[in-house]
Amino acid sequence: MRKLKLIVLFCFFSSKIFSQHPFTPSDVYKIKSISDPQVSPDGKWVAYVLTTPDSAKDKSNSDIWMVSWDGTESVKLTASPDAEYHPRWSPDGKYLTFLSSRYDTKSSQIWRMDRRGGEAEKLTELKYNISDFVWSPDSKKILLTIRDQESSDEAEKKKSAKPIVIDRYHFKSDGDGYLERKRNHLYLFDAESKKLDTLTRGDFDEENPAWSPDSKRIVLVSNRSSDPDRNNNNDLWMIEVNKGATLKQLTQWKGSDSNPSFSPDGKWIAYLKSQLEEFSVYDQSQLAVISADGGAPKILNVTLDRDVSSPRWSNDGQSVLTVVDDDRRSHVTSFDLAGNKKQITTGDRIFFSLQRGTGNNWVTLSSDPATPNEIYIIENGITRRLTHIHDDFLKLKTLATVEAFNSKSKDGTNVGSLLFRPFGKSKNEKLPLILWIHGGPTSQDDFSFDFIPQLFAAQGYAVASVNYRGSSGRGLAYSKAISGDWGNKEVIDLIGAVDHLINTGVADPDRLAIGGWSYGGILTDYVTATDSRFKAAASGAGSALQLSMYGSDQYTLQYENELGVPWRNMDKWMKVSYPFLNVEKIKTPTLYMVGEKDFNVPAAGGEQMYQALKSLGVPTEFVIYPGQHHGLGVPSYQKDRYARYIDWYAKYLGMPKLKEKLPEKK
């Protein structure tokens, strides 16, 4: 009888394993994206956005859903072929509103859905796109953010576009293209009369607006220096909700202030304050509180050298909750007004997008290495998962195991990383290794679901994700260590992590590959110009002749702050351009990729390296994705990119190629 039970048990687990399959590039059509959770005023429902890829239309569509607080009911609220997003409850609980250009609406407008049921109606009838809106607490007015633009009617009348005239220091941005003097301004919309009033004007942008609890004042963020493009001097400003009211400056810091939030009694404002006065991409926000009448701010996390985000007041106004990034994890943490800290969530995972509910309840998004983003509830300090969007898909998939490891670089720096080990592989087996490098550089590889390493692991590779110096999550000094010295300490850390995995028996030293996107692509070029051990590389949206990027991409302010202008600091520019200037040292077959319309890291960065390797006879290919910016938004292009990665690595590391057919070369 015991033997029979063991046989039955073995058959059960065997059938479960054999019914599961590894990830493939086609899975991009099956992974959904959940975002922007919003709690209803009565605390009974959570509205959210669910974005689903459509393989037939080759695009993704976003709809508004809501789920009951106990998780027992889930309702799809919109179903048009157009995107609906930015759901917001009216504070009186009567309506759920959202943005959409659905049903041939020519611009993004607010739509209003009655909580009692029925189809949504268009609330605003403007000829301009609304980019953001916030309800007043008394539900009478809606604050709109609108960028200066042509009306949809004016655009239709044109036979040809006007010339783009530029006179700004910061003149281009990925996704927005060339920047004219078009600014984001605030407008007041009366929900009953539908009357629209202009609140702000001028050659300045306004953002992050928040209402006071009594609906009489609005705090906002604006850089009103003489030339906002040349610095990071965002301040908090207050304005009364009266016609002709003027702005009052609340903060005087020369750095950046952002993300203001009123306390429940309206007396205080919590916000994020930069640590550095001068512009720096490596800066790290602090959690600050200031009187709503102005004055000196108080820093609540003065003893915590970590990134914070999403400041939200507790309902009793006695503490401010935020998300703290800390060494591969991100957790909800509370600070009382004396600066005492209490971490609320725990575990090897991340939390983000924190929103206040009723009482002592919160809603947030969370992910772990085995689960893409889902909505979680925090009730009286206890975390509970609310949605299960990905369960049916994931139960059919085998997942790589993910473990933390630390390595020491040759200069003694301790570096924290993650290792993805293929499903079913023994820890005693040496594996081909892909060093997959994150972008930024000011981000971190963390305990969240990461599709690309999972995809590589499904092909039999171990994958290392390394938080090199420059990454966030380890404090300001760790992030700022690479300032003006790109491709030096990061490369030392990356090579040190690879050496560690070789020495511990994880990686096969004869089967090493490398790749990344954005700064990950840039570091790929830096590493292959330094270390010839890698058999294959994939550099996506990268650059190597950094001198050529000045005035070509969107980072002029950063360049001039870190390196100085090229004509006065040519030695620094040549130093950080060493991958191109030492291209003859690169022997690694390299695949280059880029979005055709990328203004973040323009195509020239990949074109130059592709041409150089081609001239030298090093195996290389260059793939351009038509109409795409820095991030690829078309699902078929995402699938194509992943498939090309796999086949490129397989070709040079002796691994199996994909069975899925790629488009023919031109």
Side-chain angles (χ1 to χ4, degrees):
M1 180 63 72
R2 183 181 178 186
K3 185 179 291 186
L4 179 61
K5 287 182 179 179
L6 289 174
I7 292 172
V8 171
L9 194 61
F10 173 78
C11 291
F12 171 77
F13 285 110
S14 296
S15 64
K16 180 176 177 61
I17 292 172
F18 290 127
S19 67
Q20 293 177 312
H21 306 282
F23 285 102
T24 68
S26 295
D27 288 328
V28 297
Y29 296 114
K30 299 172 185 175
I31 296 179
K32 302 175 182 180
S33 174
I34 190 168
S35 61
D36 207 2
Q38 299 289 321
V39 186
S40 63
D42 61 10
K44 295 180 180 180
W45 294 90
V46 178
Y48 61 93
V49 178
L50 187 65
T51 303
T52 306
D54 187 330
S55 58
K57 295 180 179 178
D58 202 14
K59 67 175 187 177
S60 295
N61 186 38
S62 298
D63 290 302
I64 308 296
W65 288 67
M66 68 177 184
V67 58
S68 60
W69 187 262
D70 61 8
T72 60
E73 296 182 72
S74 186
V75 182
K76 184 177 183 180
L77 298 176
T78 66
S80 81
D82 303 293
E84 291 93 11
Y85 57 99
H86 197 72
R88 295 294 183 269
W89 301 92
S90 61
D92 59 14
K94 293 180 179 179
Y95 302 103
L96 178 63
T97 49
F98 56 88
L99 288 174
S100 181
S101 56
R102 66 206 308 238
Y103 304 138
D104 296 322
T105 301
K106 296 172 184 176
S107 56
S108 181
Q109 299 297 307
I110 300 176
W111 294 71
R112 180 171 65 182
M113 182 177 292
D114 195 306
R115 279 293 309 277
R116 294 168 296 182
E119 176 59 39
E121 62 172 351
K122 189 160 46 173
L123 181 60
T124 58
E125 295 276 1
L126 308 180
K127 296 178 181 179
Y128 307 94
N129 285 306
I130 299 170
S131 57
D132 189 16
F133 71 91
V134 187
W135 279 92
S136 63
D138 61 10
S139 298
K140 294 180 179 180
K141 295 184 182 296
I142 305 175
L143 183 65
L144 311 182
T145 302
I146 300 175
R147 186 184 182 193
D148 298 336
Q149 58 195 287
E150 293 177 340
S151 72
S152 54
D153 289 347
E154 290 169 336
E156 277 198 352
K157 292 176 183 178
K158 284 188 174 181
K159 293 182 179 179
S160 59
K162 290 181 180 179
I164 301 170
V165 180
I166 302 294
D167 67 349
R168 291 177 57 175
Y169 173 84
H170 177 54
F171 69 95
K172 63 194 307 186
S173 179
D174 190 54
D176 293 322
Y178 290 102
L179 302 176
E180 298 178 275
R181 291 192 177 273
K182 295 179 178 179
R183 300 294 190 177
N184 291 318
H185 292 302
L186 303 181
Y187 299 80
L188 280 175
F189 180 80
D190 190 290
E192 185 64 30
S193 69
K194 298 189 177 181
K195 180 183 176 183
L196 185 71
D197 290 322
T198 302
L199 194 61
T200 62
R201 293 182 175 88
D203 191 18
F204 308 101
D205 287 299
E206 290 92 27
E207 59 186 6
N208 298 153
W211 288 89
S212 63
D214 61 6
S215 300
K216 294 181 179 180
R217 294 179 295 172
I218 293 168
V219 63
L220 56 94
V221 174
S222 185
N223 184 337
R224 303 221 157 202
S225 61
S226 58
D227 190 349
D229 288 347
R230 291 181 180 268
N231 58 65
N232 201 36
N233 188 18
N234 291 306
D235 283 304
L236 303 189
W237 300 75
M238 189 78 76
I239 189 169
E240 301 286 336
V241 187
N242 297 316
K243 191 172 182 179
T246 58
L247 287 168
K248 174 188 175 183
Q249 187 172 350
L250 293 183
T251 59
Q252 308 293 328
W253 175 239
K254 297 300 183 184
S256 179
D257 302 315
S258 63
N259 297 90
S261 174
F262 271 100
S263 61
D265 61 8
K267 295 180 179 179
W268 301 93
I269 296 172
Y271 67 101
L272 300 179
K273 175 182 177 294
S274 70
Q275 293 192 51
L276 305 174
E277 281 193 341
E278 70 278 7
F279 173 80
S280 173
V281 297
Y282 313 104
D283 205 349
Q284 184 174 276
S285 294
Q286 295 178 300
L287 179 60
V289 173
I290 191 172
S291 167
D293 296 322
K298 179 179 182 178
I299 307 301
L300 298 187
N301 67 321
V302 67
T303 61
L304 179 67
D305 182 24
R306 289 293 183 269
D307 292 279
V308 296
S309 60
S310 301
R312 301 286 185 268
W313 286 92
S314 61
N315 273 310
D316 62 8
Q318 298 303 303
S319 59
V320 181
L321 276 72
T322 184
V323 175
V324 175
D325 295 342
D326 182 20
D327 193 14
R328 293 163 281 190
R329 302 159 184 87
S330 298
H331 282 293
V332 178
T333 302
S334 173
F335 292 87
D336 66 23
L337 299 184
N340 298 307
K341 173 177 72 77
K342 179 182 179 182
Q343 184 173 310
I344 296 174
T345 58
T346 59
D348 289 342
R349 60 186 312 113
I350 67 162
F351 289 85
F352 63 103
S353 192
L354 181 67
Q355 299 293 335
R356 188 172 66 192
T358 58
N360 195 28
N361 298 331
W362 299 82
V363 63
T364 181
L365 291 171
S366 184
S367 173
D368 61 44
T371 315
N373 296 336
E374 297 279 1
I375 298 175
Y376 280 70
I377 298 299
I378 302 173
E379 292 178 301
N380 299 313
I382 306 299
T383 304
R384 169 172 62 86
R385 182 173 168 182
L386 184 63
T387 59
H388 295 264
I389 302 298
H390 303 97
D391 284 6
D392 289 341
F393 166 66
L394 289 175
K395 70 183 180 184
L396 302 175
K397 293 294 174 182
T398 54
L399 290 164
T401 58
V402 181
E403 58 195 72
F405 75 94
N406 285 64
S407 58
K408 272 201 172 180
S409 302
K410 68 179 183 181
D411 61 2
T413 301
N414 185 287
V415 177
S417 307
L418 296 173
L419 175 67
F420 293 73
R421 194 186 299 271
F423 175 82
K425 291 291 184 179
S426 166
K427 289 192 175 184
N428 298 321
E429 181 180 353
K430 288 186 178 181
L431 298 168
L433 175 73
I434 296 176
L435 173 61
W436 191 251
I437 310 170
H438 72 72
T442 51
S443 61
Q444 66 168 341
D445 285 309
D446 52 34
F447 284 103
S448 62
F449 182 82
D450 197 336
F451 179 71
I452 294 179
Q454 286 286 351
L455 179 63
F456 290 154
Q459 310 304 312
Y461 298 95
V463 184
S465 297
V466 179
N467 286 318
Y468 51 85
R469 274 169 285 184
S471 304
S472 56
R474 290 280 300 277
L476 181 60
Y478 191 87
S479 181
K480 199 180 175 185
I482 68 169
S483 179
D485 186 26
W486 312 330
N488 179 17
K489 297 181 179 69
E490 313 99 297
V491 173
I492 293 172
D493 295 343
L494 291 165
I495 291 174
V498 171
D499 289 341
H500 171 83
L501 294 174
I502 292 172
N503 294 336
T504 54
V506 173
D508 182 344
D510 296 321
R511 292 189 292 171
L512 303 177
I514 186 173
W517 194 268
S518 190
Y519 201 73
I522 292 171
L523 285 179
T524 296
D525 294 336
Y526 277 125
V527 172
T528 55
T530 305
D531 192 326
S532 61
R533 290 180 294 173
F534 296 91
K535 305 300 183 185
S539 176
S543 61
L545 181 56
Q546 308 305 348
L547 177 62
S548 68
M549 294 293 103
Y550 181 87
S552 296
D553 64 21
Q554 61 187 21
Y555 294 110
T556 302
L557 182 61
Q558 178 188 348
Y559 294 151
E560 294 191 1
N561 274 273
E562 283 193 56
L563 303 175
V565 293
W567 51 91
R568 293 178 184 167
N569 301 275
M570 190 58 70
D571 55 336
K572 288 186 178 181
W573 283 89
M574 292 297 98
K575 182 180 178 182
V576 299
S577 297
Y578 79 74
F580 184 84
L581 300 177
N582 293 275
V583 71
E584 291 185 68
K585 295 180 180 179
I586 299 179
K587 308 301 179 185
T588 304
T590 306
L591 172 66
Y592 294 97
M593 295 179 169
V594 72
E596 180 189 27
K597 295 184 177 181
D598 191 340
F599 274 11
N600 189 312
V601 186
E607 290 170 346
Q608 291 160 355
M609 287 300 290
Y610 165 76
Q611 187 64 70
L613 292 194
K614 202 69 177 175
S615 296
L616 291 168
V618 177
T620 184
E621 284 186 9
F622 189 40
V623 183
I624 304 99
Y625 291 99
Q628 299 300 286
H629 301 289
H630 194 59
L632 305 186
V634 176
S636 65
Y637 289 161
Q638 296 170 2
K639 174 187 171 183
D640 181 273
R641 175 165 61 126
Y642 301 149
R644 290 184 190 278
Y645 285 152
I646 292 169
D647 279 358
W648 189 261
Y649 291 140
K651 181 177 180 179
Y652 296 101
L653 272 73
M655 298 289 283
K657 287 192 172 185
L658 281 173
K659 295 180 181 179
E660 298 175 351
K661 189 176 180 181
L662 287 169
E664 296 294 329
K665 296 179 187 176
K666 293 185 178 179

